[in-house]
Each structure stands twice: as structure tokens, then as C-alpha cells.
Amino acid sequence: QSALTQPASVSGSPGQSITISCTGTSSDVGGYNYVSWYQQHPGKAPKLMIYDVNDRPSGVSDRFSASKSGNTASLTISGLQAEDEADYYCGSYTSSSTRFVFGTGTKVTVL
Amino acid sequence: EVQLLESGGDLVQPGGSLRLSCAASRFTFGSYAMSWVRQAPGKGLEWVSVISGGGSNTYYADSVKGRFTISRDNSKNTLYLQMNSLRAEDTAVYYCAKDPTGTTRSFDSWGQGTLVTVSS
């Protein structure tokens, strides 16, 4: 099972919006509405930001939104803030025997 | 608030074994599937294994299948990962994570991680 494909880095200025893509296959991203997104600051554990494609856990800012089209999922951060600078990973249930796969990760830089 | 506390990470020689533990509290442990996720130094997240709430169903990443065994003791609210035949590429921070749905769709709570270093 190969990792889902994400851009290595994305950057934006404070207040701008950025979008991170996550490309998989019909066995994972495209086949199920089970895509999740995680934020990870350096030296910290990951934090769930989005689950089931576009649902936000309680306490996560509504500046974070997500969607899916075909085999590609996307995370959008609106009104970019300095605290959003972190690594972001997508993840998906997969019908393969391994059951779950993460994306390659994207480093978000706030200019 | 859910608490997950990993332990057992250490320096081990290639070919050696290690058992990690994850102590859970502040939620009904036996009602939730649990996973192990690892992160090699400077690298991305890699899902390792999942076990169902009752412990009867387990799945593994291809990279650890046949070498690692996930288990749990619901009477002790503890998750385990037995790691055998360790390789240098198993060097990573190992996180335990709670699966809120039991279908390996997402992970809503994570521990702080424990470092495993495989080196001679």
C-alpha cells in the first residue's frame, strides 16, 4: 500500500487561503468518504483536524475546511495565521489488507 | 479529556525485541479500537497496526506483518505492541491513537509518543 500523495510544501501570507491536495486511488480516497486530516507541530503529537472528508471535531477552527473529488481530497485553511504553520497529513481508510494509509505530508509555511 | 501514555521505547540492537505499552484513561477503553502509528526521524506518519475494541480483530502494515503483534488488556486499560526481529528502519517515535469509530477511519486522540531506536 503506497502512501497518499501530497505536495511537499505550501506557503501563504497571513490572512490568505491555501489548499493542500491529497491524491490516492479508488481503493482508498476515491472509494470511501473516510478521509481525515492531521496537523502536527514540531515535536508534538498529531491532532485530528478533519474526519469523514469534511467534518470538524469540536474545538477545531472553522477556518479549516475540506472536500473530495474523485481520488483527490483537499484541505483548505482560510485566514491563514502564524499558528497554522505546521505539517499536515491526510489519511484514509483503505480496502487493502492494511486498512489505513497516511499521506506523504505537507509543510505549511506562513510567510 | 482522553489520556494516552506510551512507554517502553529504548535503544535495541538489530534483530532484537521490544514491547511497547500504552496506558489509557478517561474513556471506556474496551469500547474503542486502537492503533499504533510511527514516525521515523524527520519523516512522515506511517500507520502500523490496529486492534478492535474486544481484541479479536487485528490488521498490520505490510512493513511489520509477521514481526509485530498488537494486543490489549481491557482489564488494565492498556494497549501493547510486541516488536520482534527489529530492523534499523523500525527506528521511530511510536504513537498510540484512539479510533472513535472502530472502522479505522480516523484517530481522534494521540499519546505523546515513545522513541524506539534500532542500532548496533
Side-chain angles (χ1 to χ4, degrees):
Chain A
Q1 175 70 48
S2 298
L4 308 176
T5 301
Q6 298 181 233
S9 63
V10 173
S11 62
S13 299
Q16 287 187 330
S17 294
I18 61 169
T19 297
I20 303 167
S21 62
C22 169
T23 301
T25 69
S26 58
S27 296
D28 38 66
V29 174
Y32 307 90
N33 288 325
Y34 296 157
V35 178
S36 51
W37 290 89
Y38 304 85
Q39 177 191 64
Q40 187 180 34
H41 288 106
K44 301 295 187 182
K47 175 186 176 182
L48 178 65
M49 305 300 285
I50 297 286
Y51 66 96
D52 291 355
V53 176
N54 55 15
D55 287 333
R56 275 189 313 275
S58 174
V60 172
S61 171
D62 60 5
R63 297 187 298 104
F64 292 84
S65 62
S67 62
K68 190 190 81 167
S69 177
N71 294 338
T72 298
S74 299
L75 173 72
T76 297
I77 309 175
S78 304
L80 199 60
Q81 299 180 1
E83 66 205 49
D84 301 330
E85 187 162 292
D87 293 325
Y88 291 83
Y89 296 89
C90 63
S92 175
Y93 171 87
T94 170
S95 58
S96 77
S97 61
T98 57
R99 281 296 182 272
F100 193 87
V101 60
F102 281 104
T104 51
T106 298
K107 181 176 181 59
V108 168
T109 301
V110 180
L111 302 172
Chain B
E1 182 183 343
V2 167
Q3 285 199 338
L4 298 169
L5 184 62
E6 302 94 337
S7 61
D10 205 348
L11 171 63
V12 60
Q13 292 189 341
S17 297
L18 205 59
R19 188 177 83 157
L20 305 183
S21 299
C22 170
S25 59
R26 301 185 183 178
F27 68 102
T28 307
F29 180 67
S31 296
Y32 293 93
M34 297 292 295
S35 275
W36 287 98
V37 176
R38 69 184 181 182
Q39 187 170 36
K43 302 297 184 183
L45 301 174
E46 179 187 16
W47 176 82
V48 172
S49 182
V50 62
I51 186 168
S52 59
S56 58
N57 295 312
T58 60
Y59 299 92
Y60 298 91
D62 290 341
S63 57
V64 306
K65 202 171 295 183
R67 300 188 298 123
F68 289 12
T69 302
I70 191 171
S71 63
R72 64 192 298 159
D73 185 337
N74 288 345
S75 69
K76 295 182 178 179
N77 289 348
T78 302
L79 174 72
Y80 302 101
L81 185 67
Q82 177 66 44
M83 304 185 295
N84 298 330
S85 302
L86 282 162
R87 306 166 180 168
E89 54 264 37
D90 296 318
T91 294
V93 173
Y94 285 73
Y95 296 99
C96 62
K98 172 177 162 283
D99 174 354
T101 66
T103 52
T104 327
R105 284 152 58 176
S106 62
F107 309 106
D108 64 351
S109 298
W110 297 66
Q112 87 293 342
T114 187
L115 176 62
V116 173
T117 303
V118 183
S119 175
S120 55

